[in-house]
Amino acid sequence: MRFSTKLVHAGEPRPRVGGSVVLPIFQSSTFEYGGQSDYHDIRYIRLSNTPNHEAVGEKIAALEETEAALVTASGMAAIAPALLTLLPPGSHAIAHRCLYGGTRSVFTEDLAELGVTTTFVDASHPETFRAALRPTTRLIYVETMTNPLLEVVELDVVVAFAKEHGLTSVIDSTLASPANFRPATRGFDLVLHSATKYLNGHSDLAAGVVAGKRDLVLRVKHKLDHLGGILDPHACFLLQRGLKTLDLRMDRHNRTALALSRFLVAHPNVAEVHYPGLETHPGHARAAAWFQGSGGLLSFRPRGGVAAADRFLSSVTLAASAPSLGGPETLVTRPATTSHAGQTAEERAELGITDDLVRVAVGLEAEEDLLEDFAQALGPR
Ligand SMILES: *Cc1c(COP(=O)(O)O)cnc(C)c1O
């Protein structure tokens, strides 16, 4: 099956349940005992094995081209149990220096409390990996594209380095979604998502994904079985519904974000634009080689500093000023006051996140309407 067909048909039970074309919601916490010998196989809602969990998990595994996939209560409910599974006390991780804030905190606070240490590297410079390596290193962690500067790091080298040194390679692929990039096909061991974003695509639920080889996913599932961060069957149903239009939505996000970045580059009131689809972006060659499209996230600096950025944010009318991404609505934020407010000004400066940077999560509106709205919000040329 091709990708679009998998979105519709993969994982859907055959024969259909009661002839229902859409898989119904099994709003039942428990199921008849079927002679299972292992606790984790008993059919019980917290063990993530209702028909809704299994169907959406199989669909996502087909999309990511992995043996198995597990859905969780949020992106963080996928990331934290995955890291807790792979990093026992006393072990060490290598991670890219710019990560989703919640993930970074798991490394620097929660795992640190358990005696797990992390060395942050610039994964665009793989020559720095070797110096970070220790006898206790177990894992290397990156994101497909970083937020908000959309860096595309040396993903192939990360995989090769992990294989050479027996590390587990883990990637958060939220910003690409399997419509744009399937990391397991390039050798990544574990693929994580915040399904709150593109996978569900409607800004109306929280969910997460862990995908990879069956034994690895099962190990994370056992941890999740104990920690309890499971997805509710109704949310499974909504996620499965959202997934069916993923390729249509991503195609639109890809095109509109590219058009909007080109418009911003050409605008005299804009100083700088970050989007991997632009030939001038440092990660462009890698994005063009690996990704079907560069996704819906971009960032820019207006001319005129923080005042100009705030003027833009309060002047856009179609775009809502809100965090998150991946939904139908275009959302704009200033990362220094939202996603990266938890970091100090020095930490942000080191990552290149200036106070005047505006992040745009491009939605599904008509390109012309967004361009008109951005044009009026940027003020007279
Ligand atoms: C949103 C996000 C997360 C966290 O996901 P939640 O669903 O909010 O828990 C993790 N990684 C990335 C890249 C994200 O954008």
Side-chain angles (χ1 to χ4, degrees):
M1 283 194 273
R2 284 153 186 87
F3 191 77
S4 313
T5 311
K6 285 185 196 170
L7 285 170
V8 179
H9 292 290
E12 305 286 335
R14 295 289 183 270
R16 293 183 164 91
V17 179
S20 178
V21 170
V22 172
L23 178 67
I25 306 172
F26 286 79
Q27 199 70 48
S28 179
S29 60
T30 187
F31 293 78
E32 281 184 325
Y33 179 66
Q36 297 90 340
S37 53
D38 188 294
Y39 169 74
H40 296 277
D41 296 333
I42 292 167
R43 283 210 138 185
Y44 178 59
I45 195 166
R46 186 176 35 75
L47 303 177
S48 298
N49 55 14
T50 75
N52 294 104
H53 290 103
E54 288 183 344
V56 73
E58 269 181 49
K59 191 186 290 292
I60 293 168
L63 302 175
E64 285 291 1
E65 300 183 44
T66 55
E67 285 175 10
L70 170 71
V71 289
T72 63
S74 66
M76 291 315 303
I79 294 164
L83 293 177
L84 285 168
T85 304
L86 296 167
L87 290 166
S91 64
H92 171 254
I94 300 175
H96 182 53
R97 60 186 188 146
C98 183
L99 294 179
Y100 180 77
T103 307
R104 195 181 160 93
S105 301
V106 171
F107 280 111
T108 58
E109 296 172 29
D110 306 289
L111 288 166
E113 282 170 16
L114 298 173
V116 176
T117 49
T118 305
T119 304
F120 292 99
V121 297
D122 181 350
S124 305
H125 291 281
E127 69 278 5
T128 60
F129 296 176
R130 204 169 289 272
L133 201 65
R134 298 185 194 169
T136 50
T137 311
R138 292 288 184 89
L139 158 163
I140 183 161
Y141 190 102
V142 292
E143 297 179 356
T144 304
M145 287 179 272
T146 66
N147 166 37
L149 295 176
L150 289 312
E151 292 170 276
V152 182
V153 303
E154 291 282 5
L155 301 175
D156 276 357
V157 185
V158 169
V159 168
F161 183 81
K163 287 200 194 312
E164 186 186 342
H165 299 284
L167 315 179
T168 305
S169 52
V170 184
I171 185 165
D172 176 339
S173 202
T174 300
L175 264 50
S177 95
N180 277 341
F181 183 56
R182 294 176 282 283
T185 65
R186 300 202 78 89
F188 275 94
D189 295 312
L190 206 62
V191 183
L192 306 173
H193 284 279
S194 167
T196 311
K197 318 291 169 53
Y198 291 116
L199 293 182
N200 176 60
H202 291 77
S203 324
D204 54 9
L205 62 75
V209 166
V210 178
K213 290 221 165 62
R214 191 172 306 279
D215 58 338
L216 204 48
V217 173
L218 266 183
R219 280 175 59 203
V220 180
K221 179 186 156 343
H222 284 198
K223 186 68 79 181
L224 188 77
D225 289 351
H226 298 158
L227 295 176
I230 57 137
L231 196 62
D232 176 82
H234 182 241
C236 291
F237 168 86
L238 287 176
L239 173 57
Q240 193 163 335
R241 179 169 79 160
L243 276 170
K244 291 178 188 174
T245 55
L246 178 66
D247 60 337
L248 299 174
R249 292 185 285 103
M250 284 316 295
D251 187 49
R252 176 70 76 83
H253 288 300
N254 289 340
R255 283 169 204 260
T256 312
L258 183 58
L260 195 55
S261 354
R262 293 216 164 111
F263 162 83
L264 290 168
V265 166
H267 199 288
N269 300 353
V270 172
E272 202 175 282
V273 185
H274 304 275
Y275 184 66
L278 294 172
E279 291 74 8
T280 48
H281 189 276
H284 176 71
R286 296 194 279 269
W290 297 331
F291 306 160
Q292 239 98 340
S294 291
L297 203 66
L298 64 94
S299 57
F300 72 97
R301 295 172 71 188
R303 283 191 204 283
V306 174
D310 280 339
R311 211 160 43 239
F312 172 82
L313 291 178
S314 58
S315 307
V316 278
T317 56
L318 270 182
S321 187
S324 199
L325 64 127
E329 308 82 9
T330 295
L331 304 175
V332 290
T333 57
R334 198 147 68 71
T337 61
T338 53
S339 54
H340 292 72
Q343 285 172 261
T344 64
E346 294 74 51
E347 286 171 333
R348 286 196 300 269
E350 204 174 297
L351 298 173
I353 302 166
T354 52
D355 285 356
D356 58 358
L357 189 74
V358 174
R359 187 188 91 162
V360 184
V362 178
L364 299 176
E365 300 91 342
E367 176 187 313
E368 297 76 3
D369 289 331
L370 281 176
L371 295 190
E372 280 171 25
D373 190 26
F374 275 51
Q376 67 76 25
L378 285 166
R381 286 166 172 260

